[in-house]
Amino acid sequence: MNVDKLMLQLEQKHPGEVEYLQAVREVLESIEDIYNQNPQFEAAGIIERIVEPDRILTFKVPWVGDDGKVNVNLAYRVQFNNAIGPYKGGLRFHPSVNLSGLKFLGFEQIFKNSLTTLPMGGGKGGSDFDPKGKSDAEVMRFCQGFMMELWKHIGPETDVPAGDIGVGGREIGFLYGMYRKLARENTGILTGKGRNWGGSLIRPEATGFGNVYFAKEMLATKGETFEGKTVAISGFGNVSWGAALKATELGAKVVTISGPDGYIYDAEGISGEKINYMLELRASNNDVVKPYSYKFESGQFFEGKRPWEQKVDIALPCAIQNELNKEDAEMLVKNGCICISEGANMPCTPEAIEIIQNNKLLYGPGKAANAGGVATSGLEMSQNSMKLSWSIEEVDTKLHSIMCNIHEACVKYGETDGHVDYVKGANIAGFLKVANAMLDQGVI
Ligand code: NDP
Ligand code: 2IT
């Protein structure tokens, strides 16, 4: 394999798909050596096959607004690779959703899901529908329209969607209701379901919890812990909330959260009722984090800025892709940050990653550090298949041990001379399992 040549071909085939090409390049650069040392991969065309999705479904979702007007949104499901299990991955409802974004997320999901040790393939979907400012009834009609088309293509052993940005418990409920009606069965077709209808305990917290568990393992390699550390978190959504809860529980002080409008710095720490307030803010359907500063006096709002300019020990980017750039990384390094662990998918730009890695910070890439969410989705699927419900302790213990296993796999493949390159480790470990499964199963 020659990465530059392959990337050139992909760029010609998929011009302008910036995020997808960015994600593919990162993986190819990490696996180049191991790929070339194993000629059986080249002989089976593994790379050419793994970089293209198995199929992409594109459909329109017409829905009627409360004002009686007809709206039309575009929707997709990218079924990327199912060599090790049914396609699995979230649905994103956000105005920025396009095919390149979903292909990047679906591609990442293949390796992330492989790392979880559970049998799940990779997929992703979503729509450019914006739930912000919509009534519950509008969101419901949209979700019903979305599922009316998607239901034919998914199933508990075929493709199991879940939440992502803009898709939380409310949306999963509306989607599940429609699926159940059309398919005439109650089955584990989506994860992130409500507790009373097949959902798993800890799933809402799992991505954030898992991210902190992963960071804890990274810190331990340097004899460090969360105790007494200051932490910057971005976003104020589902992942940020879980990360804030767990980091606080482990003795750290979370000093920031953020939204597209700016960030909040709270020197007293964002804990207790302030963490609960994040959920209220999120549920308000408004695009702003600023109201935190009206509610809590200690919360200072920095308009249009990002939290990375603050002096912190640990940074947990938990909002959206490419939200931490080169200048942000330089600022974090300058201010003595020792660890960056990605709750979001691809939040650091390639230039930022270079700075972080050159300065030898502990750096957990999303496909390893945020795998706790999909891992707990996998645990939800197991409980659905067994018609059982596990306790908080059972799920949390399994999640914790999965995150420790992922950390171990990263160390196994990423360590040289006492330094762990977690990007390389995660990419190689995630890739080998899927590539070997593809080899075993022939060219299909
Ligand atoms: P949510 O929709 O719950 O939250 C996303 C948060 O990010 C919101 O607070 C949103 O604010 C904020 N946000 C959006 N754009 C920006 C921006 N430009 N700057 C700062 N904040 C911004 O989504 P999740 O918490 O579920 O997802 C967050 C990230 O984590 C995504 O990258 C997702 O792919 C990833 N992830 C999610 C998993 C899950 O289980 N949910 C699992 C693994 C990864 P606003 O709503 O106001 O735009
Ligand atoms: O990016 C992700 O891993 C998710 N949004 C969760 C996917 C899932 O199937 O739980």
Side-chain angles (χ1 to χ4, degrees), residues 1 31-48 431-432 435-436 439:
M1 160 175 45
I31 62 165
E32 186 171 12
D33 288 346
I34 209 143
Y35 195 84
N36 290 335
Q37 287 154 14
N38 289 276
Q40 68 275 24
F41 291 147
E42 185 84 47
I46 296 290
I47 274 303
E48 289 75 8
F431 169 77
L432 283 178
N436 285 321
L439 274 184

Side-chain angles (χ1 to χ4, degrees), residues 48-237:
E48 289 75 8
R49 287 158 61 202
I50 215 169
V51 297
E52 295 289 351
D54 288 349
R55 70 192 61 79
I56 299 170
L57 310 162
T58 309
F59 51 99
K60 67 170 186 278
V61 182
W63 56 279
V64 180
D66 291 343
D67 57 5
K69 287 207 183 107
V70 175
N71 301 276
V72 180
N73 283 98
L74 274 185
Y76 313 85
R77 183 73 182 163
V78 181
Q79 296 183 330
F80 226 113
N81 186 297
N82 66 349
I84 62 169
Y87 303 107
K88 180 84 195 86
L91 297 172
R92 178 175 290 191
F93 293 170
H94 195 267
S96 67
V97 163
N98 58 30
L99 196 50
S100 164
L102 295 180
K103 279 175 67 181
F104 124 62
L105 289 160
F107 184 71
E108 288 283 292
Q109 202 81 44
I110 304 172
F111 308 103
K112 185 195 302 194
N113 293 2
S114 160
L115 284 170
T116 65
T117 70
L118 302 174
M120 299 182 288
K124 198 85 187 189
S127 169
D128 58 4
F129 172 76
D130 186 0
K132 295 244 161 50
K134 305 288 189 305
S135 69
D136 284 354
E138 287 178 318
V139 171
M140 181 179 75
R141 286 195 291 276
F142 173 79
C143 289
Q144 291 176 340
F146 184 92
M147 191 49 91
M148 235 177 318
E149 188 63 34
L150 189 66
W151 81 280
K152 291 168 263 181
H153 307 284
I154 58 178
E157 305 298 337
T158 315
D159 183 353
V160 184
D164 192 78
I165 292 180
V167 179
R170 174 183 62 167
E171 290 75 19
I172 294 291
F174 294 147
L175 291 162
Y176 185 80
M178 195 55 169
Y179 179 87
R180 184 171 58 74
K181 185 177 173 89
L182 291 167
R184 292 187 294 134
E185 55 182 31
N186 241 312
T187 176
I189 181 52
L190 290 158
T191 56
K193 297 187 291 299
R195 273 297 296 141
N196 297 330
W197 39 280
S200 175
L201 285 165
I202 302 278
R203 177 63 189 90
E205 297 91 335
T207 310
F209 276 23
N211 186 20
V212 172
Y213 290 150
F214 191 85
K216 181 170 167 252
E217 291 304 300
M218 290 200 292
L219 288 166
T221 65
K222 303 278 181 206
E224 292 282 1
T225 66
F226 268 91
E227 185 70 43
K229 300 284 188 308
T230 48
V231 178
I233 293 182
S234 61
F236 63 101

Side-chain angles (χ1 to χ4, degrees), residues 282-341:
R282 187 81 200 91
S284 74
N285 257 0
N286 288 319
D287 203 3
V288 289
V289 75
K290 191 176 180 182
Y292 182 102
S293 62
Y294 309 142
K295 172 110 177 148
F296 302 107
E297 243 175 54
S298 51
Q300 225 183 321
F301 178 64
F302 292 83
E303 187 160 6
K305 296 279 177 89
R306 297 197 277 220
W308 320 126
E309 61 187 20
Q310 291 293 341
K311 181 171 166 44
V312 289
D313 302 308
I314 297 166
L316 305 177
C318 295
I320 202 157
Q321 64 269 13
N322 294 328
E323 55 156 321
L324 195 160
N325 64 20
K326 182 167 177 264
E327 290 72 41
D328 298 324
E330 283 167 346
M331 191 66 91
L332 284 168
V333 169
K334 190 174 131 236
N335 285 334
C337 175
I338 56 169
C339 173
I340 300 179
S341 193

